[in-house]
């Protein structure tokens, strides 16, 4: 199997700000990759060339976490996220004599694809009562894609809420409806 050269660059950032009753954190990451697929050379008595494919990928992820603790022994946790993905494919005809490259104008040889994802999630939970505690929350995810090989711009929204309780009428019995 042929090895494809890759040029990868990435960076990560994490920062946390501490509050009296919790913390706020940010995490971000950036990724860039260029993959080169060098084509087989074609050599004639008049010319020498090859068709080279290049794949460029960029990915960006952002997260914001908020965790708060209240005096009533309740907790609030929020997560907000944004992720972006972009990939471009380009095909060039490379002149192997003077090493110049010309972009191939054929639509099927060029392609692009993009995805975006947004996520909001939150939970509120209590631990202050000896007999009854609960947790409630929500989760919303929105995804959208686009590209040359997709019809339209497909998108999907996934939304949910939940409630869970823990009831301990006696020390050896725990009931957990949700």
């Amino acid at each position: 199997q042929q090895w494809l050269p890759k040029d990868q660059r990435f960076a990560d950032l994490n920062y946390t700000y501490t509050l009296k009753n919790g913390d706020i954190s940010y995490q971000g990451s950036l990724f860039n990759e260029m993959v080169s697929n060098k084509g087989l050379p074609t050599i004639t008595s008049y010319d020498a060339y090859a068709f080279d494919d290049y794949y460029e990928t960029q990915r960006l992820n952002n997260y914001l976490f908020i965790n708060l603790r209240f005096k009533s022994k309740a907790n609030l946790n929020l997560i907000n996220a944004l992720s972006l993905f972009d990939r471009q494919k380009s095909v060039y005809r490379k002149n192997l004599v003077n090493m110049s490259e010309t972009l191939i104008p054929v639509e099927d040889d060029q392609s692009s694809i993009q995805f975006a994802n947004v996520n909001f999630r939150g939970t509120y939970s209590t631990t202050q009562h000896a007999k009854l505690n609960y947790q409630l929350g929500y989760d919303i995810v929105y995804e959208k894609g686009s590209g040359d090989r997709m019809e339209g711009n497909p998108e999907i929204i996934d939304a949910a809420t939940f409630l869970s309780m823990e009831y301990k009428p006696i020390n050896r019995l725990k009931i957990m409806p949700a």
Side-chain angles (χ1 to χ4, degrees):
Q1 184 170 355
Q2 186 180 13
W3 175 76
L4 303 178
K6 294 180 186 177
D7 179 16
Q8 294 180 331
R9 297 165 193 222
F10 46 90
D12 293 316
L13 173 67
N14 294 318
Y15 179 77
T16 299
Y17 182 77
T18 303
L19 305 166
K20 284 185 202 178
N21 62 335
D23 55 65
I24 299 173
S25 299
Y26 169 79
Q27 291 180 358
S29 65
L30 177 63
F31 175 78
N32 184 290
E33 176 182 68
M34 176 66 87
V35 177
S36 303
N37 182 10
K38 302 295 184 177
L40 295 173
T42 301
I43 300 172
T44 68
S45 56
Y46 302 105
D47 204 359
Y49 62 92
F51 292 101
D52 296 341
D53 301 336
Y54 296 99
Y55 301 87
E56 184 174 6
T57 304
Q58 294 182 13
R59 208 171 34 228
L60 174 66
N61 296 322
N62 293 287
Y63 303 95
L64 181 65
F65 303 97
I66 301 171
N67 299 308
L68 300 174
R69 293 175 300 283
F70 300 106
K71 290 181 182 178
S72 62
K73 294 187 180 178
N75 296 317
L76 176 66
N77 298 311
L78 302 173
I79 300 172
N80 301 296
L82 170 66
S83 299
L84 303 172
F85 176 86
D86 181 58
R87 173 171 283 161
Q88 305 289 327
K89 176 193 173 200
S90 303
V91 179
Y92 288 87
R93 182 183 191 274
K94 185 168 196 165
N95 183 322
L96 298 175
V97 176
N98 64 14
M99 303 307 280
S100 65
E101 292 182 324
T102 306
L103 185 65
I104 302 299
V106 178
E107 273 188 43
D108 290 342
D109 287 339
Q110 317 306 324
S111 68
S112 68
I113 189 167
Q114 296 84 29
F115 290 102
N117 176 302
V118 179
N119 189 340
F120 302 105
R121 182 178 302 149
T123 59
Y124 179 82
S125 56
T126 64
T127 58
Q128 74 259 29
H129 304 295
K131 291 191 181 266
L132 178 68
N133 288 294
Y134 63 90
Q135 181 180 56
L136 62 100
Y138 66 91
D139 186 30
I140 301 169
V141 178
Y142 171 74
E143 294 182 73
K144 183 176 183 175
S146 64
D148 300 336
R149 298 179 184 187
M150 290 185 200
E151 288 186 30
N153 294 321
E155 59 185 1
I156 187 169
I157 296 175
D158 181 19
T161 60
F162 63 90
L163 173 62
S164 164
M165 293 191 291
E166 180 181 286
Y167 177 59
K168 290 173 74 174
I170 58 176
N171 201 21
R172 304 185 103 203
L173 177 65
K174 186 187 294 185
I175 301 170
M176 299 178 70

